Amino acid sequence: MKITALLLLTLFLGGCALKPTLESELIGQARPAIAPSEVVLVERLPEKFDRIAVLTAMSPPRLSATDPKLTDELLASLKTQAAEVGANGLILTTLHDETKPVRRTGSLDGNQGFAITENQIQRVAQAVAIYID
């Protein structure tokens, strides 16, 4: 019974919505900020554009990455980052899942211990923020 409660708590905490971790590296000239709604995902390279930044968004580690909203959340985070540096376009360079084993230990009654190893998945999206002329 206690093990079941522990597993349910672990699943609940693993599924809680947290904000993505964001990283950015300026590689060009930033421009005035714009609204994230003005940033478009570019499928083909335009003829004329300037590279502004390399952006990364990483989901919090989870037990499952099957949530279809997860990729949408990461893309929205990338668009927000791009808008902050004045980019009006994003070139998605990578979208993948990273798996890391996590070992959890504890005690049920102060005497009997347990150890659980579980794989946690983190989705990573990277893009180049550009300004399209």
Side-chain angles (χ1 to χ4, degrees), residues 67-120:
D67 184 357
K69 294 179 186 175
L70 189 56
T71 300
D72 293 339
E73 290 172 9
L74 291 179
L75 292 176
S77 295
L78 289 173
K79 284 184 175 185
T80 299
Q81 281 183 283
E84 289 174 2
V85 295
N88 59 7
L90 276 176
I91 302 169
L92 189 64
T93 56
T94 185
L95 178 64
H96 67 277
D97 293 330
E98 295 178 357
T99 304
K100 298 177 184 177
V102 176
R103 184 174 172 92
R104 299 181 189 272
T105 60
S107 173
L108 298 176
D109 59 7
N111 296 318
Q112 183 179 2
F114 66 89
I116 299 172
T117 300
E118 61 189 17
N119 286 325
Q120 289 193 343

Side-chain angles (χ1 to χ4, degrees), residues 6-126:
L6 176 68
L7 288 174
L8 288 174
L9 179 63
T10 301
L11 289 172
F12 172 75
L13 292 176
C16 288
L18 298 173
K19 292 187 177 185
T21 301
L22 307 174
E23 296 176 0
S24 63
E25 178 186 351
L26 205 58
I27 59 172
Q29 182 68 37
R31 297 173 183 268
I34 61 172
S37 60
E38 295 180 50
V39 179
V40 297
L41 195 58
V42 177
E43 293 182 21
R44 290 187 307 178
L45 289 179
E47 283 186 33
K48 192 172 180 186
F49 67 94
D50 296 322
R51 289 179 175 87
I52 298 177
V54 176
L55 309 175
T56 304
M58 297 167 283
S59 72
R62 302 171 186 228
L63 296 177
S64 170
T66 58
D67 184 357
K69 294 179 186 175
L70 189 56
T71 300
D72 293 339
E73 290 172 9
L74 291 179
L75 292 176
S77 295
L78 289 173
K79 284 184 175 185
T80 299
Q81 281 183 283
E84 289 174 2
V85 295
N88 59 7
L90 276 176
I91 302 169
L92 189 64
T93 56
T94 185
L95 178 64
H96 67 277
D97 293 330
E98 295 178 357
T99 304
K100 298 177 184 177
V102 176
R103 184 174 172 92
R104 299 181 189 272
T105 60
S107 173
L108 298 176
D109 59 7
N111 296 318
Q112 183 179 2
F114 66 89
I116 299 172
T117 300
E118 61 189 17
N119 286 325
Q120 289 193 343
I121 300 168
Q122 183 175 36
R123 184 154 296 162
V124 178
Q126 192 171 50

